[in-house]
Amino acid sequence: MSFNTEAHPAVAPQAPAQTQGFRFNHTMVRVKDPAVSLQFYSTVFGMRLLRTLDFPEMDFSLYFLAHISPDQPAPEDEAQRTAWTFSQTGVLELTHNYGTENDPNFAYHDGNAEPQGYGHICFAVPDIDAAERWFDDNQVTFIKRANEGGLKGVIFVKDPDGYWIEVVAAAALAKLGS
Amino acid sequence: MSFNTEAHPAVAPQAPAQTQGFRFNHTMVRVKDPAVSLQFYSTVFGMRLLRTLDFPEMDFSLYFLAHISPDQPAPEDEAQRTAWTFSQTGVLELTHNYGTENDPNFAYHDGNAEPQGYGHICFAVPDIDAAERWFDDNQVTFIKRANEGGLKGVIFVKDPDGYWIEVVAAAALAKLGS
């Protein structure tokens, strides 16, 4: 029998038919300055800007980023690409409320300081040491380097708003946990 | 020329070679009671439990959920499946710090009340009206129904910890934004 789910008393043994076609599309965080965040995510993490949606009458813009390969059939037409963006998975949505970038005292809450809730996003990379050098080349702020702390091989860095980003090399984590 | 990225002065025109193979693996939120959250995400949203990692010496467990199709080659071997889990995209990680489920006054911060930061996760669904009926069938708490407010066709519900979940039908959103 092929793998379906790990067993847990609370987990439905099968996905209900009513959830067929459900897809985890995106994760949204608010950012103070989209120019800073877009530079960071497109350069340091290689994400592409799939779509920008502006709502000037409500003073905010939304930026949708993801990793796409050059041979992926993303529509050139903007309306079609909006629909396409919402049908992808692994999308990061950045919300910019106009004006925050001009307030030197403005900062968002990272979810790891109190009050806690949200923790982090995580990127898988092919080579953790090469990734660490790349982060150093880009003056990224480290919370934990690969060789520090209890979880060897796992990196934590901060994004420009202070949100935590975990970075892992998938193959190296096979023995993680009990 | 095929689509690569939307233009923005801050966005790198191409993904740097050093980011090749980078993948947005997961989003982590802390949950008060994993039995409640696992029931919710596996039933209401049809996610499967890819992997549980227990760290009893540090009093926490991690639960990794995603949508997988039955024909997807997920390894049966647990160590291999851990590595496989970290190589996927669209994964939701739930962190359970032991004991929170027994404290009636304990609650996590949703990121939308002050202090703000994290906003929500979003699921794309094939049929927004069918999804709304399914949420009603499961007594899910609505923040906004599809026909309420300014963004017609977009649903917001709460997960058991109060985290916001957006639900959209991708094709219906083509005309969103300016």
Side-chain angles (χ1 to χ4, degrees), chain A residues 1 3-6 10 12-13 23 25-28 30 35 39 42 48-49 51-54 76 81-82 86 109 111-112 116-120 122-124 134 163 166 173 176 178, chain B residues 1 3-6 10 12-13 18 23 25-28 30 35 39 42 48-49 51-54 76 81-82 86 109 111-112 116-120 122-124 163 166 173 176 178:
Chain A
M1 195 187 123
F3 175 79
N4 166 43
T5 186
E6 287 206 345
R23 181 174 285 207
N25 172 243
H26 71 247
T27 297
M28 187 280 265
R30 298 169 178 89
Q39 193 278 335
S42 67
R48 315 311 296 148
L49 181 59
R51 197 73 187 95
T52 302
L53 297 178
D54 297 315
E76 297 271 350
R81 203 166 63 253
T82 302
F86 283 103
H109 175 65
N112 294 302
Q116 287 194 320
Y118 168 72
H120 60 258
C122 174
F123 293 96
W134 176 241
Y163 295 116
E166 183 179 13
L173 296 184
L176 196 65
S178 63
Chain B
M1 195 187 121
F3 175 80
N4 166 44
T5 186
E6 287 205 347
Q18 291 91 338
R23 180 172 286 206
N25 171 244
H26 72 248
T27 297
M28 186 280 266
R30 298 170 178 88
Q39 193 278 334
S42 68
R48 315 311 296 146
L49 181 59
R51 198 72 186 95
T52 301
L53 298 178
D54 297 315
E76 298 270 351
R81 204 166 62 253
T82 302
F86 283 103
H109 175 65
N112 294 301
Q116 287 194 321
Y118 167 73
H120 60 258
C122 173
F123 294 95
Y163 294 116
E166 183 179 13
L173 296 185
L176 197 64
S178 64

Coordinates of all heavy atoms in Angstrom, one line a residue, chain A residues 1 3-6 10 12-13 23 25-28 30 35 39 42 48-49 51-54 76 81-82 86 109 111-112 116-120 122-124 134 163 166 173 176 178, chain B residues 1 3-6 10 12-13 18 23 25-28 30 35 39 42 48-49 51-54 76 81-82 86 109 111-112 116-120 122-124 163 166 173 176 178:
Chain A
M1 N 0.8 -1.2 0.0 CA 0.0 0.0 0.0 C 0.9 1.2 0.0 O 1.9 1.3 0.7 CB -0.9 0.0 1.2 CG -2.1 1.0 1.2 SD -2.9 1.0 2.8 CE -2.8 2.7 3.2
F3 N 2.0 5.2 0.7 CA 1.8 6.1 1.8 C 0.7 7.1 1.6 O 0.5 7.7 0.5 CB 3.1 6.9 2.0 CG 3.0 7.9 3.1 CD1 3.1 7.5 4.4 CD2 2.8 9.2 2.8 CE1 3.1 8.5 5.4 CE2 2.7 10.2 3.8 CZ 2.8 9.8 5.1
N4 N -0.2 7.2 2.6 CA -1.3 8.1 2.5 C -1.2 9.2 3.6 O -1.2 10.4 3.3 CB -2.6 7.3 2.7 CG -3.8 8.2 3.0 OD1 -4.0 9.3 2.3 ND2 -4.6 7.9 3.9
T5 N -1.0 8.8 4.8 CA -0.8 9.7 6.0 C -0.2 9.0 7.1 O -0.3 7.8 7.2 CB -2.2 10.3 6.4 OG1 -2.0 11.3 7.4 CG2 -3.1 9.2 7.0
E6 N 0.5 9.7 8.0 CA 1.0 9.1 9.2 C -0.2 9.0 10.1 O -1.2 9.7 10.0 CB 2.1 10.0 9.9 CG 3.4 9.9 9.2 CD 4.6 10.2 10.0 OE1 4.4 10.7 11.2 OE2 5.7 9.9 9.6
A10 N -6.2 11.9 15.7 CA -7.0 13.0 15.2 C -7.1 13.2 13.7 O -7.8 14.0 13.2 CB -6.5 14.3 15.9
A12 N -7.8 12.4 9.9 CA -8.8 11.7 9.1 C -8.0 10.6 8.3 O -7.0 10.9 7.7 CB -9.5 12.6 8.1
P13 N -8.5 9.4 8.3 CA -7.7 8.3 7.6 C -7.6 8.6 6.1 O -6.6 8.2 5.5 CB -8.5 7.1 7.9 CG -9.9 7.5 8.4 CD -9.7 8.9 9.0
R23 N -5.6 23.3 -2.4 CA -4.2 23.5 -2.6 C -3.8 24.6 -1.6 O -4.4 25.6 -1.5 CB -3.9 23.9 -4.0 CG -2.5 24.1 -4.4 CD -2.4 24.4 -5.9 NE -2.5 23.1 -6.6 CZ -2.0 22.9 -7.8 NH1 -1.2 23.8 -8.4 NH2 -2.1 21.7 -8.4
N25 N -2.0 27.6 -1.2 CA -1.5 28.5 -2.2 C -0.4 29.5 -1.7 O 0.7 29.6 -2.2 CB -2.7 29.4 -2.7 CG -2.3 30.5 -3.6 OD1 -2.5 31.7 -3.3 ND2 -1.7 30.2 -4.8
H26 N -0.7 30.2 -0.6 CA 0.3 31.2 -0.1 C 0.3 31.4 1.3 O -0.7 31.0 2.1 CB 0.1 32.5 -0.9 CG -1.1 33.3 -0.5 ND1 -2.2 33.5 -1.4 CD2 -1.5 34.0 0.6 CE1 -3.1 34.3 -0.8 NE2 -2.7 34.6 0.4
T27 N 1.3 32.1 1.8 CA 1.5 32.6 3.2 C 1.7 34.1 3.1 O 2.5 34.5 2.3 CB 2.7 31.9 3.8 OG1 2.5 30.5 3.9 CG2 2.9 32.5 5.2
M28 N 1.0 34.8 3.9 CA 1.1 36.3 3.8 C 1.7 36.8 5.1 O 1.3 36.5 6.2 CB -0.3 36.9 3.6 CG -0.3 38.4 3.4 SD -0.1 39.5 4.9 CE -1.9 39.8 5.3
R30 N 3.0 40.9 6.4 CA 3.1 42.3 6.2 C 4.6 42.8 6.2 O 5.3 42.3 7.0 CB 2.3 43.1 7.2 CG 0.8 42.8 7.3 CD 0.2 43.4 8.5 NE -1.3 43.1 8.5 CZ -1.8 42.0 9.1 NH1 -1.1 41.1 9.7 NH2 -3.1 41.8 9.1
A35 N 10.3 47.7 -1.4 CA 11.5 47.7 -2.2 C 12.6 46.9 -1.5 O 13.3 46.2 -2.2 CB 11.9 49.2 -2.4
Q39 N 13.8 43.2 -3.0 CA 15.2 43.0 -3.3 C 15.7 41.7 -2.6 O 16.4 40.9 -3.2 CB 16.0 44.2 -2.9 CG 17.4 44.3 -3.4 CD 18.4 43.5 -2.6 OE1 18.2 43.3 -1.4 NE2 19.5 43.1 -3.2
S42 N 14.0 38.3 -3.9 CA 14.3 38.0 -5.3 C 15.8 37.7 -5.5 O 16.2 36.9 -6.3 CB 13.9 39.1 -6.3 OG 14.6 40.3 -6.1
R48 N 10.7 34.8 -7.8 CA 10.3 35.7 -8.9 C 9.0 36.4 -8.5 O 8.2 35.8 -7.7 CB 10.1 34.9 -10.2 CG 11.2 33.9 -10.5 CD 12.6 34.5 -10.4 NE 12.8 35.6 -11.4 CZ 13.6 36.7 -11.2 NH1 14.2 36.9 -10.1 NH2 13.7 37.5 -12.1
L49 N 8.8 37.6 -9.0 CA 7.5 38.3 -8.7 C 6.5 37.9 -9.7 O 6.5 38.3 -10.9 CB 7.8 39.8 -8.8 CG 6.6 40.7 -8.5 CD1 6.1 40.5 -7.0 CD2 7.0 42.2 -8.6
R51 N 3.1 38.4 -9.4 CA 2.0 39.3 -9.7 C 2.1 40.4 -8.6 O 2.4 40.1 -7.4 CB 0.7 38.6 -9.6 CG -0.5 39.3 -10.2 CD -0.4 39.3 -11.7 NE -1.5 40.2 -12.2 CZ -1.3 41.4 -12.5 NH1 -0.1 42.0 -12.4 NH2 -2.3 42.1 -13.0
T52 N 1.8 41.6 -9.0 CA 1.6 42.7 -8.1 C 0.1 43.2 -8.2 O -0.4 43.4 -9.3 CB 2.5 43.9 -8.4 OG1 3.8 43.5 -8.4 CG2 2.3 45.1 -7.4
L53 N -0.6 43.3 -7.1 CA -2.0 43.8 -7.1 C -2.0 45.0 -6.2 O -1.7 45.0 -5.1 CB -2.9 42.7 -6.6 CG -3.0 41.4 -7.4 CD1 -4.0 40.4 -6.7 CD2 -3.5 41.7 -8.8
D54 N -2.4 46.1 -6.9 CA -2.5 47.4 -6.2 C -3.9 47.8 -5.9 O -4.8 47.6 -6.7 CB -1.9 48.5 -7.1 CG -0.4 48.3 -7.4 OD1 0.3 48.0 -6.4 OD2 0.0 48.4 -8.6
E76 N 1.5 35.4 -19.9 CA 1.9 36.8 -20.0 C 0.8 37.8 -19.7 O 1.0 38.9 -19.1 CB 2.4 37.1 -21.5 CG 3.6 36.2 -21.9 CD 4.9 36.9 -21.6 OE1 4.9 38.1 -21.2 OE2 6.0 36.2 -21.7
R81 N -2.6 35.8 -15.5 CA -1.5 35.5 -14.5 C -2.0 35.7 -13.1 O -1.5 35.0 -12.2 CB -0.3 36.3 -14.8 CG 0.9 35.6 -14.3 CD 2.2 36.2 -14.8 NE 2.4 37.5 -14.5 CZ 2.3 38.6 -15.3 NH1 2.1 38.4 -16.5 NH2 2.5 39.8 -14.8
T82 N -3.0 36.6 -12.8 CA -3.5 36.7 -11.5 C -4.2 35.3 -11.1 O -3.9 34.8 -10.0 CB -4.5 37.8 -11.4 OG1 -3.9 39.0 -11.7 CG2 -5.1 37.9 -10.0
F86 N -2.9 32.4 -8.2 CA -3.7 31.8 -7.1 C -3.9 30.3 -7.2 O -4.5 29.7 -6.4 CB -5.0 32.5 -7.0 CG -5.0 33.9 -6.3 CD1 -5.0 35.1 -7.1 CD2 -4.8 34.0 -4.9 CE1 -5.0 36.3 -6.4 CE2 -4.7 35.2 -4.3 CZ -4.8 36.4 -5.1
H109 N 5.7 42.8 14.0 CA 6.0 41.8 15.0 C 6.3 40.5 14.4 O 5.6 40.0 13.5 CB 4.7 41.7 15.9 CG 4.8 40.7 16.9 ND1 5.7 40.7 18.0 CD2 4.1 39.5 17.1 CE1 5.5 39.7 18.8 NE2 4.6 38.9 18.2
G111 N 6.4 37.4 15.6 CA 5.7 36.2 16.1 C 6.5 35.3 17.0 O 6.0 34.3 17.5
N112 N 7.8 35.5 17.1 CA 8.7 34.7 18.0 C 8.9 35.4 19.3 O 9.1 34.7 20.3 CB 10.0 34.4 17.2 CG 9.7 33.5 16.0 OD1 9.1 32.4 16.2 ND2 10.0 34.0 14.9
Q116 N 3.7 35.2 21.2 CA 4.1 34.3 20.2 C 2.9 33.7 19.4 O 1.8 33.7 19.9 CB 4.8 33.1 20.8 CG 6.2 33.5 21.3 CD 7.1 32.2 21.6 OE1 6.6 31.3 22.1 NE2 8.3 32.2 21.2
G117 N 3.2 33.3 18.2 CA 2.2 32.6 17.4 C 2.9 32.0 16.1 O 3.4 31.0 16.2
Y118 N 2.8 32.8 15.1 CA 3.5 32.5 13.8 C 5.0 32.3 14.1 O 5.6 33.1 15.0 CB 3.4 33.6 12.8 CG 4.3 33.6 11.6 CD1 4.1 32.7 10.6 CD2 5.3 34.5 11.5 CE1 4.9 32.6 9.5 CE2 6.2 34.5 10.4 CZ 5.9 33.6 9.4 OH 6.8 33.5 8.3
G119 N 5.7 31.3 13.4 CA 7.1 31.1 13.7 C 8.0 31.5 12.6 O 8.9 32.4 12.7
H120 N 7.9 30.9 11.4 CA 8.8 31.1 10.3 C 8.3 30.5 9.0 O 7.4 29.8 9.0 CB 10.2 30.5 10.7 CG 10.2 29.0 10.9 ND1 10.2 28.4 12.1 CD2 10.1 28.0 10.0 CE1 10.1 27.1 12.0 NE2 10.1 26.8 10.7
C122 N 10.3 28.4 5.7 CA 11.5 27.6 5.5 C 11.7 27.3 4.0 O 10.8 27.0 3.3 CB 11.3 26.3 6.3 SG 12.7 25.1 6.0
F123 N 13.0 27.5 3.6 CA 13.4 27.2 2.3 C 14.3 25.9 2.3 O 15.2 25.9 3.2 CB 14.2 28.3 1.6 CG 13.3 29.5 1.4 CD1 13.3 30.6 2.3 CD2 12.5 29.6 0.3 CE1 12.5 31.7 2.1 CE2 11.7 30.7 0.0 CZ 11.7 31.8 0.9
A124 N 14.1 25.0 1.4 CA 15.0 23.9 1.2 C 16.0 24.3 0.2 O 15.6 24.9 -0.8 CB 14.2 22.6 0.8
W134 N 26.5 32.2 0.6 CA 25.7 33.1 -0.2 C 25.0 34.1 0.7 O 25.0 35.3 0.4 CB 24.6 32.3 -1.0 CG 23.6 33.1 -1.8 CD1 22.3 33.1 -1.7 CD2 23.9 34.0 -2.9 NE1 21.7 33.9 -2.6 CE2 22.7 34.5 -3.3 CE3 25.1 34.5 -3.5 CZ2 22.5 35.4 -4.4 CZ3 25.0 35.4 -4.5 CH2 23.7 35.9 -5.0
Y163 N 11.4 38.9 10.3 CA 10.7 37.5 10.3 C 11.8 36.5 10.2 O 12.8 36.6 9.4 CB 9.8 37.4 9.1 CG 8.6 38.3 9.2 CD1 8.4 39.3 8.2 CD2 7.6 38.2 10.1 CE1 7.3 40.2 8.2 CE2 6.5 39.0 10.2 CZ 6.3 40.0 9.2 OH 5.2 40.9 9.3
E166 N 13.9 29.7 8.1 CA 14.7 28.5 8.3 C 15.2 28.1 7.0 O 14.5 28.2 5.9 CB 13.8 27.4 8.9 CG 14.5 26.1 9.2 CD 13.6 25.1 9.8 OE1 12.4 25.2 9.8 OE2 14.2 24.1 10.3
L173 N 18.5 15.9 6.7 CA 17.6 15.9 7.8 C 16.9 14.5 8.1 O 16.0 14.4 8.9 CB 16.6 17.0 7.7 CG 17.1 18.4 7.7 CD1 16.0 19.4 7.6 CD2 18.0 18.7 8.9
L176 N 16.4 13.4 11.7 CA 15.9 14.4 12.6 C 14.7 13.8 13.5 O 13.9 13.1 12.9 CB 15.4 15.6 11.9 CG 15.2 16.9 12.6 CD1 16.5 17.4 13.2 CD2 14.6 18.0 11.7
S178 N 12.8 11.9 16.9 CA 12.9 10.6 17.4 C 12.0 9.6 16.6 O 11.2 10.1 15.8 CB 12.4 10.6 18.9 OG 11.0 11.0 18.9
Chain B
M1 N 9.0 35.9 -25.7 CA 9.8 35.6 -24.5 C 8.8 35.1 -23.4 O 7.8 35.7 -23.2 CB 10.5 36.8 -24.1 CG 11.6 36.5 -23.0 SD 12.3 38.1 -22.4 CE 12.0 37.9 -20.6
F3 N 7.4 34.4 -19.6 CA 7.3 35.1 -18.4 C 8.4 34.7 -17.5 O 8.6 33.5 -17.2 CB 6.0 35.0 -17.8 CG 5.8 35.6 -16.5 CD1 5.6 37.0 -16.4 CD2 6.0 34.9 -15.3 CE1 5.5 37.6 -15.2 CE2 5.9 35.6 -14.0 CZ 5.6 36.9 -14.0
N4 N 9.1 35.7 -16.9 CA 10.2 35.4 -15.9 C 9.8 36.1 -14.6 O 9.8 35.4 -13.5 CB 11.5 35.9 -16.4 CG 12.6 36.0 -15.4 OD1 12.7 35.1 -14.6 ND2 13.3 37.1 -15.3
T5 N 9.5 37.3 -14.6 CA 9.1 38.1 -13.4 C 8.4 39.3 -13.8 O 8.6 39.8 -14.9 CB 10.4 38.4 -12.6 OG1 10.0 39.0 -11.3 CG2 11.3 39.4 -13.3
E6 N 7.5 39.8 -12.9 CA 7.0 41.2 -13.1 C 8.1 42.2 -12.8 O 9.0 41.9 -12.0 CB 5.8 41.4 -12.2 CG 4.6 40.7 -12.7 CD 3.3 41.3 -12.3 OE1 3.3 42.2 -11.4 OE2 2.2 40.9 -12.8
A10 N 13.2 46.9 -7.6 CA 13.9 46.2 -6.6 C 14.1 44.7 -6.9 O 14.9 44.0 -6.2 CB 13.2 46.4 -5.2
A12 N 15.4 41.5 -8.7 CA 16.5 41.0 -9.6 C 15.9 40.6 -10.9 O 14.9 39.8 -10.9 CB 17.2 39.9 -8.9
P13 N 16.5 41.0 -12.0 CA 15.9 40.6 -13.4 C 15.9 39.1 -13.6 O 15.1 38.6 -14.3 CB 16.8 41.4 -14.4 CG 18.0 41.8 -13.6 CD 17.6 41.9 -12.2
Q18 N 23.2 31.3 -7.7 CA 23.4 30.7 -6.3 C 22.1 30.2 -5.7 O 22.2 29.6 -4.6 CB 24.1 31.7 -5.4 CG 25.5 32.0 -5.8 CD 25.6 33.2 -6.8 OE1 24.7 33.5 -7.5 NE2 26.8 33.8 -6.9
R23 N 13.8 26.1 -2.7 CA 12.3 25.8 -2.7 C 11.7 26.3 -1.4 O 12.3 26.1 -0.4 CB 12.2 24.3 -2.8 CG 10.8 23.7 -2.9 CD 10.9 22.2 -3.2 NE 11.2 22.0 -4.6 CZ 10.8 20.9 -5.2 NH1 10.1 20.0 -4.6 NH2 11.1 20.7 -6.5
N25 N 9.6 25.5 1.3 CA 9.2 24.2 1.8 C 8.0 24.4 2.7 O 7.0 23.7 2.5 CB 10.4 23.6 2.5 CG 10.0 22.3 3.3 OD1 10.1 22.3 4.5 ND2 9.5 21.3 2.6
H26 N 8.1 25.2 3.8 CA 7.0 25.2 4.7 C 6.8 26.5 5.4 O 7.7 27.4 5.4 CB 7.1 24.0 5.7 CG 8.2 24.2 6.8 ND1 9.4 23.4 6.8 CD2 8.4 25.1 7.8 CE1 10.1 23.8 7.8 NE2 9.6 24.8 8.4
T27 N 5.6 26.6 6.1 CA 5.3 27.7 7.0 C 5.0 27.1 8.3 O 4.2 26.2 8.4 CB 4.1 28.5 6.4 OG1 4.4 29.0 5.1 CG2 3.6 29.6 7.4
M28 N 5.5 27.7 9.4 CA 5.3 27.2 10.7 C 4.5 28.1 11.6 O 4.8 29.3 11.7 CB 6.7 26.9 11.4 CG 6.5 26.2 12.8 SD 6.1 27.2 14.2 CE 7.8 27.6 14.8
R30 N 2.7 27.9 15.7 CA 2.5 27.2 16.9 C 1.1 26.9 17.2 O 0.2 27.8 16.9 CB 3.1 28.0 18.1 CG 4.6 28.3 17.9 CD 5.1 29.3 19.0 NE 6.5 29.5 18.9 CZ 7.1 30.5 18.1 NH1 6.3 31.2 17.3 NH2 8.4 30.6 18.1
A35 N -4.1 17.7 18.7 CA -5.3 16.9 18.3 C -6.3 17.7 17.7 O -6.9 17.2 16.7 CB -5.8 16.2 19.6
Q39 N -7.1 17.4 13.5 CA -8.4 17.1 13.1 C -8.9 18.1 12.1 O -9.4 17.8 11.0 CB -9.4 17.0 14.3 CG -10.7 16.3 14.0 CD -11.7 17.3 13.4 OE1 -11.6 18.5 13.6 NE2 -12.7 16.8 12.7
S42 N -6.8 18.1 8.6 CA -6.9 16.9 7.8 C -8.3 16.7 7.4 O -8.6 16.1 6.3 CB -6.4 15.7 8.6 OG -7.3 15.4 9.7
R48 N -2.8 15.9 4.5 CA -2.3 14.6 5.0 C -1.1 14.9 5.9 O -0.3 15.9 5.7 CB -1.8 13.7 3.9 CG -2.9 13.6 2.7 CD -4.3 13.4 3.2 NE -4.5 12.1 3.8 CZ -5.3 11.9 4.8 NH1 -6.0 12.8 5.3 NH2 -5.4 10.7 5.3
L49 N -0.9 14.0 6.9 CA 0.2 14.2 7.9 C 1.4 13.5 7.3 O 1.5 12.2 7.3 CB -0.2 13.6 9.2 CG 0.9 13.7 10.3 CD1 1.3 15.1 10.6 CD2 0.4 13.0 11.6
R51 N 4.6 13.8 8.2 CA 5.7 13.4 9.1 C 5.4 14.0 10.5 O 5.0 15.2 10.6 CB 7.1 13.8 8.6 CG 8.2 13.1 9.2 CD 8.3 11.7 8.8 NE 9.4 11.0 9.5 CZ 9.2 10.3 10.6 NH1 7.9 10.1 11.1 NH2 10.2 9.7 11.2
T52 N 5.7 13.3 11.6 CA 5.7 13.8 12.9 C 7.1 13.6 13.5 O 7.7 12.6 13.3 CB 4.7 13.0 13.8 OG1 3.4 13.1 13.3 CG2 4.7 13.5 15.2
L53 N 7.6 14.7 14.0 CA 9.0 14.7 14.6 C 8.8 15.1 16.1 O 8.4 16.2 16.4 CB 9.9 15.6 13.9 CG 10.2 15.3 12.4 CD1 11.2 16.3 11.8 CD2 10.8 13.9 12.3
D54 N 9.2 14.1 17.0 CA 9.1 14.3 18.4 C 10.4 14.7 19.0 O 11.4 14.0 18.7 CB 8.5 13.1 19.1 CG 7.1 12.8 18.6 OD1 6.3 13.7 18.5 OD2 6.8 11.6 18.3
E76 N 7.8 5.1 2.3 CA 7.2 4.5 3.5 C 8.2 4.5 4.6 O 7.8 4.7 5.8 CB 6.9 3.0 3.2 CG 5.8 2.8 2.2 CD 4.4 2.7 2.7 OE1 4.3 2.7 3.9 OE2 3.5 2.7 1.9
R81 N 11.3 9.5 4.6 CA 10.1 10.4 4.4 C 10.4 11.7 5.1 O 9.8 12.7 4.7 CB 8.8 9.7 4.9 CG 7.6 10.3 4.3 CD 6.3 9.5 4.5 NE 6.0 9.4 5.9 CZ 6.1 8.3 6.6 NH1 6.6 7.2 6.1 NH2 5.7 8.3 7.9
T82 N 11.2 11.7 6.1 CA 11.6 13.0 6.7 C 12.3 13.9 5.6 O 11.9 15.0 5.4 CB 12.5 12.8 7.9 OG1 11.8 12.0 8.9 CG2 12.9 14.1 8.5
F86 N 11.0 17.5 3.7 CA 11.7 18.8 3.6 C 12.0 19.1 2.1 O 12.5 20.2 1.9 CB 12.9 18.7 4.5 CG 12.7 18.9 5.9 CD1 12.7 17.8 6.8 CD2 12.4 20.2 6.4 CE1 12.5 18.0 8.2 CE2 12.1 20.3 7.8 CZ 12.1 19.2 8.6
H109 N -1.0 34.1 19.6 CA -1.3 35.4 18.9 C -1.4 35.2 17.4 O -0.6 34.6 16.8 CB -0.2 36.4 19.3 CG -0.3 37.7 18.6 ND1 -1.3 38.6 18.9 CD2 0.5 38.3 17.6 CE1 -1.1 39.7 18.1 NE2 0.0 39.5 17.4
G111 N -1.4 37.4 14.9 CA -0.7 38.3 14.0 C -1.5 39.4 13.3 O -0.9 40.3 12.7
N112 N -2.8 39.3 13.5 CA -3.7 40.3 12.9 C -4.2 41.3 13.9 O -4.4 42.5 13.6 CB -4.9 39.7 12.1 CG -4.4 38.8 11.0 OD1 -3.8 39.4 10.1 ND2 -4.6 37.5 11.0
Q116 N 0.8 43.6 15.0 CA 0.6 42.9 13.7 C 1.9 42.5 13.1 O 3.0 43.1 13.3 CB -0.1 43.9 12.7 CG -1.6 44.0 13.0 CD -2.3 44.7 11.8 OE1 -1.8 45.6 11.2 NE2 -3.5 44.2 11.6
G117 N 1.8 41.5 12.2 CA 2.9 41.0 11.4 C 2.5 40.0 10.4 O 2.0 40.3 9.4
Y118 N 2.6 38.7 10.8 CA 2.0 37.6 10.1 C 0.5 37.8 9.8 O -0.2 38.3 10.7 CB 2.2 36.3 10.8 CG 1.5 35.1 10.3 CD1 1.8 34.5 9.1 CD2 0.4 34.6 11.0 CE1 1.1 33.4 8.6 CE2 -0.3 33.5 10.5 CZ 0.0 32.9 9.3 OH -0.6 31.8 8.9
G119 N 0.1 37.4 8.6 CA -1.3 37.6 8.3 C -2.2 36.4 8.2 O -3.1 36.2 9.0
H120 N -1.8 35.5 7.3 CA -2.7 34.3 7.0 C -2.0 33.3 6.1 O -1.0 33.6 5.5 CB -4.0 34.7 6.4 CG -3.9 35.4 5.1 ND1 -4.0 36.8 4.9 CD2 -3.6 34.9 3.8 CE1 -3.8 37.1 3.7 NE2 -3.6 36.0 3.0
C122 N -3.3 30.7 2.8 CA -4.5 30.7 1.9 C -4.5 29.4 1.1 O -3.5 28.9 0.6 CB -4.3 31.9 0.9 SG -5.5 31.9 -0.5
F123 N -5.7 28.9 1.0 CA -6.0 27.7 0.2 C -6.8 28.1 -1.0 O -7.8 28.8 -0.9 CB -6.7 26.6 1.0 CG -6.0 26.1 2.1 CD1 -6.1 26.6 3.4 CD2 -5.1 25.0 1.9 CE1 -5.4 26.1 4.5 CE2 -4.3 24.5 3.0 CZ -4.5 25.0 4.3
A124 N -6.3 27.5 -2.2 CA -7.1 27.6 -3.4 C -8.0 26.4 -3.5 O -7.6 25.3 -3.2 CB -6.2 27.7 -4.6
Y163 N -5.9 31.6 14.0 CA -5.1 32.0 12.8 C -6.1 32.2 11.7 O -7.0 31.3 11.5 CB -4.0 31.0 12.4 CG -2.9 30.9 13.5 CD1 -2.7 29.7 14.1 CD2 -2.0 31.9 13.8 CE1 -1.7 29.5 15.0 CE2 -1.0 31.8 14.7 CZ -0.8 30.6 15.3 OH 0.2 30.4 16.3
E166 N -7.4 32.3 4.4 CA -8.0 32.8 3.3 C -8.4 31.6 2.3 O -7.6 30.7 2.2 CB -7.1 33.8 2.5 CG -7.8 34.4 1.3 CD -6.9 35.5 0.6 OE1 -5.7 35.5 0.9 OE2 -7.4 36.2 -0.2
L173 N -10.5 35.1 -9.6 CA -9.8 36.3 -9.1 C -9.1 37.0 -10.2 O -8.3 37.9 -9.9 CB -8.8 35.9 -8.0 CG -9.5 35.3 -6.8 CD1 -8.4 35.1 -5.7 CD2 -10.6 36.3 -6.2
L176 N -8.9 40.8 -10.1 CA -8.6 41.4 -8.8 C -7.5 42.5 -8.9 O -6.5 42.3 -9.7 CB -8.1 40.3 -7.8 CG -8.1 40.7 -6.3 CD1 -9.5 40.9 -5.8 CD2 -7.5 39.5 -5.6
S178 N -5.8 46.5 -9.4 CA -5.8 47.4 -10.5 C -4.7 47.0 -11.5 O -3.9 46.2 -11.3 CB -5.5 48.8 -10.0 OG -4.2 48.9 -9.5

